[in-house]
Amino acid sequence: MEDNENLNPENDSEELAWIKNLQRNSWEPEVIISGISLAFIFAFPAQVFEFGVKLTQEFGLEFTGAYLVLIYLSMILSVFKIFFSIHLILRFIWAGLLGLSYAFPKGVINENLFKISREYDYKKPTEWVLMLEKTCSMAFGFPIMTGMIFFIFTLYLGLLLFFYWFFDLNFFLIYLIFLFTLIIFGLISALTKKNKLKNLFSTSLFSTIQATYQSNLGKWKINIYLFLIMLLTTPLVISDLKGFFNYANSANLDQSQLDWPDESMYFEDKKDPEKRFSRALMPSQEIAGETTNILLAHYEEDFKNFDKIVQKSNTLPDSLGWSSLEKTQDLYRIYLNDSLISSKNSTWRKISHGSSKQRAFQFVFDIRNLNPGVHEIRIEKLIFLYPFGFSEPEIKHRKNWAKFSFIKVTS
């Protein structure tokens, strides 16, 4: 009896009627979902940027790895920005045409036009509404397809980063594993015959959506469309990455940063209080009183590599004259007007700074004997650098890890 009921054409027609009715009214959830998603996505890049900073400062991920993660996450957000924006724009046009079709259901009255325009056969607004309705629904399906791709990649990347962090591996090894598995997966998919695993993947929701688009729109058209979307993400990704190289712990400041320093990098009263600082931070550009302090950003990779730096410290050139390394703070040397001050008349302590609870070293020094005017701070640092490969890591000296000026004012 159940088989007969399932074959009942009346039941089939009822289901089709329900689906068609749902399709006709799909614009409401589409607009709501797109609007909410866009509002969420546009507010998210700042959090993604901070997450990338935390990866390198708090979790000790090499800067290259954190940078690639940030690019990947920014690209995901940018893709969905474009998808949902296109969908809302199309729905906006659709709504305008819908109103036009209601106001003028007969469409164009050729007799009432100028002579030059009468000879054309115009479509009715309702025809355009129906055409655009399908386009809008089709555009809304693209984020589902790409979202599944990103979801799988994100899970896999997250697993690799966990292994990197847990086993303290070389990031270059993780990079090779990622590329190798992609190549193996591609070869298996292309060269192996039909089997249970391939059949399971090919009949999945993702494959069904992809095949539906390709078979109805054309396999090249859909790929070109996705390529153009990726191309459009480039300026958005570049904008999201702006300023991230300031957090490259192993890098000297470049010449432009030395010539035109960004004051928001170094002075707390000029910095966004919600953001983490990258290198050194003073309370203000104008300092009064007898003492002041500098905060130095904690990088977890310095802590993880400290014992290795101590072991290799004999490879440092004698001309540096670096004092013995007993604690992480000894990796820094702070100069005031080219006079070393970090080893005398000073105190160090560990603090959690600001609303982000960023870990930092606080260095307090005496300024009572400084004359009013401009004074320069320069910070040198020792870095344990892993090359992007399997060669031996080495200690590097960064002469201009941070460099800026402050003003001593009278009390």
Side-chain angles (χ1 to χ4, degrees), residues 263-275:
E263 293 180 353
S264 65
M265 278 181 60
Y266 300 114
F267 302 109
E268 190 167 3
D269 59 349
K270 297 180 183 296
K271 182 183 79 72
D272 185 342
E274 299 298 321
K275 290 185 177 181

Side-chain angles (χ1 to χ4, degrees), residues 6-104:
N6 290 336
L7 295 173
N8 191 336
E10 292 183 2
N11 291 340
D12 289 343
S13 62
E14 288 179 5
E15 289 182 4
L16 288 173
W18 176 77
I19 291 175
K20 287 180 179 179
N21 183 58
L22 199 61
Q23 289 172 336
R24 280 193 292 268
N25 294 283
S26 66
W27 67 271
E28 294 178 345
E30 284 180 21
V31 171
I32 293 172
I33 293 171
S34 290
I36 293 175
S37 299
L38 272 180
F40 177 75
I41 290 170
F42 273 102
F44 210 60
Q47 281 69 32
V48 170
F49 188 94
E50 289 298 294
F51 175 70
V53 174
K54 282 185 179 180
L55 284 177
T56 187
Q57 285 188 337
E58 299 293 330
F59 297 100
L61 181 63
E62 292 178 40
F63 178 78
T64 303
Y67 186 64
L68 292 175
V69 169
L70 182 59
I71 290 175
Y72 173 73
L73 294 177
S74 177
M75 184 183 68
I76 292 176
L77 291 178
S78 299
V79 164
F80 285 110
K81 277 181 190 177
I82 294 171
F83 274 142
F84 289 124
S85 296
I86 289 174
H87 175 257
L88 283 181
I89 290 170
L90 289 173
R91 277 296 175 190
F92 176 79
I93 298 171
W94 172 84
L97 289 172
L98 188 64
L100 188 66
S101 66
Y102 175 76
F104 307 106

Side-chain angles (χ1 to χ4, degrees), residues 59-333:
F59 297 100
L61 181 63
E62 292 178 40
F63 178 78
T64 303
Y67 186 64
L68 292 175
V69 169
L70 182 59
I71 290 175
Y72 173 73
L73 294 177
S74 177
M75 184 183 68
I76 292 176
L77 291 178
S78 299
V79 164
F80 285 110
K81 277 181 190 177
I82 294 171
F83 274 142
F84 289 124
S85 296
I86 289 174
H87 175 257
L88 283 181
I89 290 170
L90 289 173
R91 277 296 175 190
F92 176 79
I93 298 171
W94 172 84
L97 289 172
L98 188 64
L100 188 66
S101 66
Y102 175 76
F104 307 106
K106 293 182 180 180
V108 179
I109 303 173
N110 289 51
E111 293 78 9
N112 295 340
L113 296 175
F114 291 106
K115 285 185 178 182
I116 194 172
S117 304
R118 291 177 187 174
E119 58 187 72
Y120 299 104
D121 185 19
Y122 298 95
K123 290 182 179 180
K124 291 184 179 180
T126 51
E127 294 180 54
W128 284 109
V129 169
L130 292 174
M131 289 172 58
L132 203 56
E133 169 65 28
K134 291 181 180 180
T135 304
C136 290
S137 296
M138 179 191 68
F140 189 70
F142 276 105
I144 300 174
M145 182 176 67
T146 52
M148 290 179 178
I149 299 173
F150 287 135
F151 178 73
I152 295 169
F153 269 90
T154 303
L155 286 180
Y156 182 52
L157 287 173
L159 182 64
L160 288 179
L161 289 176
F162 173 78
F163 285 139
Y164 164 85
W165 171 78
F166 189 80
F167 294 106
D168 194 20
L169 301 174
N170 186 340
F171 181 78
F172 182 68
L173 177 62
I174 296 296
Y175 179 76
L176 287 182
I177 291 173
F178 177 70
L179 290 182
F180 180 75
T181 50
L182 287 183
I183 293 171
I184 292 297
F185 178 77
L187 290 175
I188 291 174
S189 299
L191 301 178
T192 57
K193 296 181 179 180
K194 183 178 180 181
N195 52 50
K196 289 184 178 180
L197 183 61
K198 289 187 71 174
N199 184 66
L200 180 65
F201 176 76
S202 298
T203 56
S204 65
L205 179 60
F206 165 73
S207 296
T208 301
I209 295 172
Q210 187 181 41
T212 301
Y213 276 116
Q214 288 186 356
S215 60
N216 285 276
L217 299 178
K219 56 186 178 181
W220 290 113
K221 287 183 180 178
I222 188 69
N223 289 330
I224 290 172
Y225 177 70
L226 291 175
F227 174 76
L228 290 175
I229 293 294
M230 294 295 181
L231 199 62
L232 287 173
T233 64
T234 303
L236 297 176
V237 172
I238 292 174
S239 176
D240 291 342
L241 296 176
K242 188 177 181 182
F244 193 68
F245 271 95
N246 294 333
Y247 297 86
N249 184 35
S250 61
N252 265 324
L253 298 174
D254 61 35
Q255 194 58 46
S256 64
Q257 291 171 312
L258 293 173
D259 293 338
W260 301 93
D262 180 3
E263 293 180 353
S264 65
M265 278 181 60
Y266 300 114
F267 302 109
E268 190 167 3
D269 59 349
K270 297 180 183 296
K271 182 183 79 72
D272 185 342
E274 299 298 321
K275 290 185 177 181
R276 303 166 71 88
F277 68 95
S278 57
R279 301 189 177 214
L281 191 70
M282 289 186 69
S284 176
Q285 189 173 30
E286 297 183 353
I287 302 294
E290 297 183 349
T291 62
T292 188
N293 69 82
I294 298 176
L295 301 182
L296 302 179
H298 167 80
Y299 281 84
E300 184 63 19
E301 63 178 329
D302 293 337
F303 178 78
K304 290 196 308 181
N305 296 328
F306 184 73
D307 291 338
K308 299 173 185 176
I309 295 176
V310 173
Q311 292 173 6
K312 286 183 171 288
S313 59
N314 60 338
T315 63
L316 291 171
D318 294 336
S319 58
L320 279 181
W322 208 279
S323 58
S324 60
L325 302 173
E326 299 177 359
K327 50 189 182 297
T328 312
Q329 295 94 307
D330 294 334
L331 297 177
Y332 301 90
R333 287 202 305 200

Side-chain angles (χ1 to χ4, degrees), residues 367-381:
I367 59 170
R368 74 184 73 187
N369 295 324
L370 285 182
N371 295 323
V374 178
H375 300 275
E376 183 182 77
I377 293 288
R378 183 173 61 84
I379 301 172
E380 297 182 356
K381 188 174 182 180

